[in-house]
């Protein structure tokens, strides 16, 4: 029976090779330590094994799959070894000098990315880029290629908000970003661009002209649809697009490049048809296809080589090659080729929502088209006039349903939201985008060199207003965007594998993917979230039960971390801690400077040790563990360092998070299970090294023959 199934599915086996490559990439990032350099030798060795087994198909396919897995494992390791180390940035204001790479428009001003950066106290050019937000009232409007100097405060990329959250430091490491910050003075142009980046300059110019013709949110969305830059969109408009399920329209993807290349192909064929000498001697398709591909390549460069566009362009290139060779195009194979191309160029993109949602949606659409091709063809050939309009309507509904269902697990994992009415919103907005907005955008881009873009931009603005109205209307419906607790990472992997199994196979055993998908989607119901979270600076401490979240917050705490915690818990608000809400019947009852948290019956309690309040000018007494000793507790928590220890009770205080980052705590009957961010991520190139005490740094920097006490008195470097 198995042999018969394998024989029937033999043509689908090559489609699993990119899946193996993706599994290898995920395996690399799942490690807690960096693999040895010898891992780069694995793909050549497996390739030699594949050559030896090429005459034995039963063994050659497992060897090919092994080659893709080892390649996926080695590619990110090679990328990581070739990239410069993360930067150590000063903690005070510095003079930053660099060349402008990109200019992005924000609702509060401009954000620029600088390359070739030099600091006033640095030894030379930094090997990584720096992203800065200029002052809102800065009169300077820089262009790509300009060399600027500005006084700014810099900070390194942020650590994850909690263990297991999105890793901004990993994302910055592979993207070449070294840090970000904001200007505290006006920028000064040292030198105008002599050789400005062509596409970055073109992108900035087009965004500025679109914003001039279409002010407000309409112009920001129109610019995003043309160039892919979403930074200028107002928060309320972005929230409406997200909650209605239309946020994918703002990210340039396969839909946009298909429209652009399709229109380019049609215009090129019409132009060839109007030239009889050329049309009678050559096949118009063979001439129009490369022209459309060049147009798509230009659009890809204009939008900044985003991941969905890379996938779409790789598929379009394969289709163009098939047209030129007179071969039939296999859509799923084109998708597989696009996946391999993206993973080779940007292996870290596999972990991001853009890659996952883009490929999942297209895979589901291709599989759905293959499964329904037979009866759709029969409907199309029928003579009744009403069947064709009904078929178009059914195709639109089916497309929206498949894309929504395919991206639902990834949206739930990354954003903790479920858009209930996304099908309705897409049915109304996608046709407007396809038949009105994007053709007008292409016409506007073509007419911009002649300064005649005003009328197509006006038409585009009408379409954007319709889409924005749909987004705001659907987002206002009850329960439009439901909050839900994100599934764990292993559950997303299980769901993804089930979706791939369901879409790639063609026989009945493809249905075995359905229970895998269901198991992954339901995993959050039996996976216990943390009971307590402590931020990396100990300014935020959150306590959660099934009914509420209480937040102990110090001055200067991050709102972003708070929102990330609530999203990770599937909550929309937290109850701020105060003495009035900490009575005996509260979630966090306090007695003196000790608050007791016990989320459920049978679990051990966590004790929050609060610092004593002082008047201005007074010195607060140190937080000590002595009053908590003798109480039955699983863990002691404090926003300040705790003096002393209690026998058998672990401590999470300001020193703990200073050394190991944010902490997550589960309170169980047997005690507390504590997980730090450093334990979760391990020792990787993008994870900062553990900080060292000041005395160690002084010892390392003291002159030979000088004691530690003498080095301290002489002013050796401190913390």
């Amino acid at each position: 029976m198995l042999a018969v199934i394998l024989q029937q599915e033999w043509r689908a086996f090559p489609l699993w090779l990119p899946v193996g490559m993706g599994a290898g990439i995920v395996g690399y990032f799942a490690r807690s330590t960096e693999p040895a350099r010898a891992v780069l030798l694995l793909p050549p060795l497996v390739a030699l094994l594949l050559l030896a087994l090429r005459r034995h198909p039963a063994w050659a396919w497992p060897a090919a799959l092994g080659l893709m897995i080892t390649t996926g494992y080695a590619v990110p390791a090679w990328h990581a070894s070739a990239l410069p180390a993360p930067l150590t940035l000063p903690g005070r204001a510095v003079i930053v000098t660099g060349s402008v790479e990109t200019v992005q428009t924000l609702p509060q001003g401009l954000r620029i990315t600088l390359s070739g950066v030099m600091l006033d106290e640095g030894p030379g050019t930094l090997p990584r880029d720096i992203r800065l937000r200029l002052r809102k009232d800065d009169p300077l409007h820089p262009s790509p290629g300009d060399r600027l100097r500005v006084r700014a405060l810099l900070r390194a990329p942020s650590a994850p908000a909690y263990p297991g959250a999105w890793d901004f430091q990993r994302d910055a490491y592979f993207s070449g970003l070294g840090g970000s910050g904001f200007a505290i003075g006006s920028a000064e142009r040292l030198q105008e661009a002599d050789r400005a980046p062509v596409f970055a300059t073109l992108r900035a110019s087009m965004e500025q002209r679109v914003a001039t013709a279409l002010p407000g949110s309409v112009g920001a969305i129109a610019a995003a649809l043309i160039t892919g830059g979403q930074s200028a969109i107002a928060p309320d408009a972005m929230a409406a697009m997200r909650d209605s399920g239309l946020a994918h329209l703002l990210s340039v993807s396969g839909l946009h490049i298909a429209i652009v290349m399709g229109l380019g192909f049609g215009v090129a064929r019409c132009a060839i048809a109007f030239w009889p000498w050329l049309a009678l001697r050559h096949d118009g398709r063979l001439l129009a296809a490369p022209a459309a591909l060049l147009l798509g390549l230009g659009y890809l460069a204009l939008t900044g080589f985003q991941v969905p566009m890379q996938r779409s362009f790789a598929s379009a290139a394969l289709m163009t090659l098939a047209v030129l060779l007179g071969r039939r195009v296999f859509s799923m194979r084109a998708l597989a080729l696009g996946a391999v191309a993206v993973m080779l160029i940007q292996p870290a993109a596999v972990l991001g929502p853009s890659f996952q949602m883009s490929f999942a949606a297209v895979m589901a659409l291709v599989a759905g088209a293959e499964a329904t091709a037979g009866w759709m063809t029969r409907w199309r050939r029928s003579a009744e006039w009403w069947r064709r309009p009904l078929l178009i309507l059914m195709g639109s509904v089916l497309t929206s349903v498949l894309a929504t269902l395919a991206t639902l697990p990834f949206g739930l994992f990354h954003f903790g939201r479920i858009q209930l009415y996304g099908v309705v919103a897409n049915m109304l907005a996608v046709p407007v985008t396809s038949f009105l907005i994007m053709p007008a955008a292409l016409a506007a881009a073509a007419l911009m060199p002649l300064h005649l873009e005003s009328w197509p931009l006006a038409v585009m603005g009408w379409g954007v207003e319709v889409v924005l109205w749909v987004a705001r209307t659907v987002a206002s419906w009850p329960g439009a965007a439901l909050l839900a607790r994100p599934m764990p990472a292993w559950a997303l992997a299980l769901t993804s594998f089930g979706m791939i199994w369901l879409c790639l196979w063609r026989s009945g055993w493809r249905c075995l993917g359905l229970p895998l998908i269901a198991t992954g989607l339901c995993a959050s119901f039996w996976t216990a979230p943390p009971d307590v979270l402590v931020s990396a600076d100990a300014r935020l401490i959150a306590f959660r039960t099934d009914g509420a979240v209480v937040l102990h917050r110090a001055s200067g705490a991050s709102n972003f971390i708070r929102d990330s915690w609530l999203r990770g818990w599937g909550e929309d608000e937290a109850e701020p801690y105060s003495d009035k809400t900490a009575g005996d019947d509260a979630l966090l009852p306090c007695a003196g400077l000790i608050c007791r948290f016990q989320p459920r019956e049978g679990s051990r309690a966590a004790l929050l040790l609060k610092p004593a309040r002082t008047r201005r000018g007074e010195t607060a007494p140190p937080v000590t563990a002595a009053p908590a000793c003798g109480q039955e507790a699983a863990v002691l928590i404090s926003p300040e360092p705790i003096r002393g220890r209690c026998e058998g009770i672990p401590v999470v205080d300001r020193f703990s998070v200073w050394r190991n980052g944010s902490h997550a705590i589960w309170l169980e009957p047997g005690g507390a299970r504590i997980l730090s961010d450093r334990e979760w991520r391990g020792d990787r190139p993008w994870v900062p090294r553990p900080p060292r005490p000041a005395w160690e740094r002084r010892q390392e920097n003291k002159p030979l023959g000088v004691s530690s006490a003498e080095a301290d008195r002489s002013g050796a470097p401190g913390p």
Side-chain angles (χ1 to χ4, degrees):
M1 180 63 179
L2 181 60
V4 175
I5 294 177
L6 293 179
Q7 186 176 5
Q8 293 175 349
E9 298 283 9
W10 188 252
R11 295 179 64 87
F13 273 77
L15 301 177
W16 284 90
L17 297 179
V19 180
M21 187 174 182
I25 293 175
V26 173
Y28 165 82
F29 285 108
R31 290 178 55 96
S32 59
T33 57
E34 196 68 11
R37 291 290 183 91
V39 72
L40 301 178
L41 300 177
L42 288 177
L45 294 177
V46 180
L48 293 176
L49 178 62
L50 177 60
L51 289 176
L53 297 174
R54 66 185 185 277
R55 298 180 182 274
H56 305 279
W59 295 101
W61 187 86
L65 184 61
L67 174 62
M68 297 301 289
I69 293 175
T70 54
T71 301
Y73 193 79
V75 164
W78 179 80
H79 278 265
S81 64
L83 290 170
L87 304 179
T88 301
L89 298 174
R92 61 177 182 83
V94 292
I95 303 296
V96 182
T97 305
S99 300
V100 179
E101 284 290 318
T102 60
V103 180
Q104 296 173 298
T105 304
L106 301 176
Q108 302 83 16
L110 295 178
R111 183 172 63 192
I112 60 175
T113 300
L114 299 176
S115 63
V117 176
M118 299 182 66
L119 305 182
D120 58 349
E121 61 178 28
T125 303
L126 300 181
R128 288 180 169 270
D129 297 343
I130 296 294
R131 184 179 295 159
L132 289 178
R133 188 178 75 245
L134 300 182
R135 295 174 59 179
K136 188 175 182 179
D137 57 350
D138 197 324
L140 181 66
H141 195 293
S143 300
D146 291 350
R147 190 155 184 85
L148 303 183
R149 179 169 58 197
V150 60
R151 185 174 180 84
L153 283 171
L154 304 179
R155 61 179 181 271
S158 302
Y162 57 90
W166 177 255
D167 195 340
F168 298 96
Q169 292 174 338
R170 180 190 63 209
D171 187 51
Y173 181 82
F174 283 94
S175 66
L177 186 67
S180 59
F182 56 91
I184 57 176
S186 298
E188 177 187 359
R189 182 185 282 114
L190 301 178
Q191 181 181 355
E192 292 189 354
D194 49 358
R195 291 184 179 180
V198 176
F199 287 101
T201 304
L202 180 61
R203 189 184 310 125
S205 175
M206 294 177 71
E207 289 177 351
Q208 186 175 4
R209 293 172 71 169
V210 171
T212 302
L214 301 172
S217 297
V218 173
I221 293 176
L225 292 170
I226 295 176
T227 65
Q230 305 178 23
S231 56
I233 302 176
D236 60 334
M238 180 64 78
M241 296 291 287
R242 182 192 64 228
D243 294 343
S244 62
L246 297 179
H248 67 94
L249 295 179
L250 302 177
S251 176
V252 288
S253 59
L255 173 66
H256 302 78
I257 198 171
I259 295 172
V260 169
M261 292 184 63
L263 290 173
F265 183 82
V267 170
R269 287 208 67 180
C270 289
I272 293 171
F274 280 115
W275 189 358
W277 181 89
L278 185 64
L280 294 175
R281 289 170 173 79
H282 299 279
D283 188 347
R285 295 183 307 161
L286 301 182
L287 299 177
L293 187 64
L294 288 176
L295 182 62
L297 179 61
Y299 190 45
L300 174 67
L302 176 65
T303 55
F305 295 92
Q306 300 184 25
V307 171
M309 290 288 286
Q310 293 180 21
R311 183 264 307 161
S312 303
F313 183 76
S315 301
L318 181 63
M319 295 179 183
T320 303
L321 181 62
V323 170
L324 295 177
L325 298 177
R327 301 289 298 274
R328 181 185 173 190
V329 177
F330 293 92
S331 298
M332 199 66 83
R333 293 190 178 184
L335 179 65
L337 178 66
V340 171
V342 174
M343 288 187 288
L344 288 174
I345 298 172
Q346 295 182 342
V350 173
L351 305 181
S354 180
F355 179 95
Q356 295 169 4
M357 299 179 79
S358 172
F359 279 92
V362 176
M363 181 180 65
L365 292 175
V366 173
E370 292 177 349
T372 59
W375 66 268
M376 280 195 171
T377 301
R378 291 191 295 270
W379 265 66
R380 192 180 295 111
R381 291 175 178 174
S382 181
E384 291 88 347
W385 64 270
W386 52 269
R387 285 180 177 263
R388 186 172 293 273
L390 183 60
L391 184 64
I392 295 175
L393 178 61
M394 292 173 60
S396 177
V397 173
L398 183 61
T399 299
S400 298
V401 170
L402 286 176
T404 301
L405 292 178
T407 56
L408 185 147
F410 306 98
L412 181 61
F413 175 79
H414 291 284
F415 310 115
R417 288 177 176 269
I418 301 176
Q419 289 83 17
L420 294 184
Y421 310 117
V423 173
V424 178
N426 279 277
M427 286 179 57
L428 298 174
V430 170
V432 176
T433 304
S434 301
F435 299 110
L436 180 62
I437 294 178
M438 291 307 297
L442 189 60
L447 294 175
M448 276 186 182
L450 304 176
H451 296 276
L452 299 175
E453 72 276 5
S454 58
W455 68 265
L457 284 179
V459 175
M460 187 181 182
W462 300 337
V464 171
E465 288 178 351
V466 172
V467 171
L468 196 54
W469 175 83
V470 171
R472 287 172 172 162
T473 302
V474 174
S476 66
W477 292 351
L482 294 180
L483 293 174
R485 194 166 69 228
M487 65 176 69
W490 66 265
L492 181 68
L494 184 64
T495 302
S496 302
F497 183 77
M499 292 175 58
I500 294 171
W501 187 278
L502 180 65
C503 293
L504 295 192
W505 299 125
R506 298 192 176 187
S507 59
W509 76 336
R510 69 193 307 174
C511 295
L512 294 176
L514 294 175
L516 299 179
I517 297 173
T519 303
L521 291 175
C522 297
S524 59
F525 293 105
W526 61 72
T527 303
D531 298 306
V532 184
L533 290 174
V534 185
S535 66
D537 56 5
R539 292 179 177 177
L540 278 176
I541 304 175
F543 302 86
R544 178 192 179 276
T545 64
D546 293 335
V549 174
V550 172
L551 199 65
H552 184 279
R553 177 172 186 156
S555 176
S558 169
N559 290 331
F560 174 80
I561 293 179
R562 178 204 61 194
D563 295 341
S564 299
W565 288 1
L566 293 177
R567 187 166 56 248
W569 273 330
E571 303 285 347
D572 56 353
E573 60 182 12
E575 180 182 355
Y577 167 84
S578 68
D579 292 338
K580 296 180 180 179
T581 59
D584 293 338
D585 58 344
L587 178 64
L588 198 63
C590 299
L593 297 178
I594 300 179
C595 299
R596 185 180 185 87
F597 174 69
Q598 192 167 5
R600 67 190 67 85
E601 196 72 28
S603 63
R604 298 280 298 279
L607 299 184
L608 171 65
L609 308 184
K610 303 185 299 178
R613 290 187 175 182
T614 59
R615 296 179 181 179
R616 180 174 298 180
E618 295 181 350
T619 302
V623 178
T624 63
C629 296
Q631 299 192 35
E632 193 146 332
V635 61
L636 301 182
I637 305 170
S638 172
E640 298 295 337
I642 297 179
R643 300 289 182 87
R645 290 292 185 268
C646 296
E647 185 69 25
I649 303 179
V651 168
V652 177
D653 62 357
R654 191 163 187 170
F655 276 164
S656 303
V657 297
W658 174 69
R659 287 189 297 264
N660 299 316
S662 59
H663 280 58
I665 304 171
W666 289 261
L667 299 175
E668 300 169 346
R673 180 163 58 94
I674 304 173
L675 177 65
S676 70
D677 175 65
R678 188 170 300 280
E679 291 173 328
W680 175 265
R681 294 196 291 167
D683 183 17
R684 307 307 300 269
W686 53 89
V687 180
R689 297 293 178 261
R692 294 177 300 162
W695 66 268
E696 286 189 7
R697 299 198 299 272
R698 294 191 185 103
Q699 187 75 17
E700 187 176 279
N701 290 280
K702 74 175 183 179
L704 292 176
V706 178
S707 66
S708 299
E710 291 172 339
D712 290 344
R713 288 193 298 269
S714 65

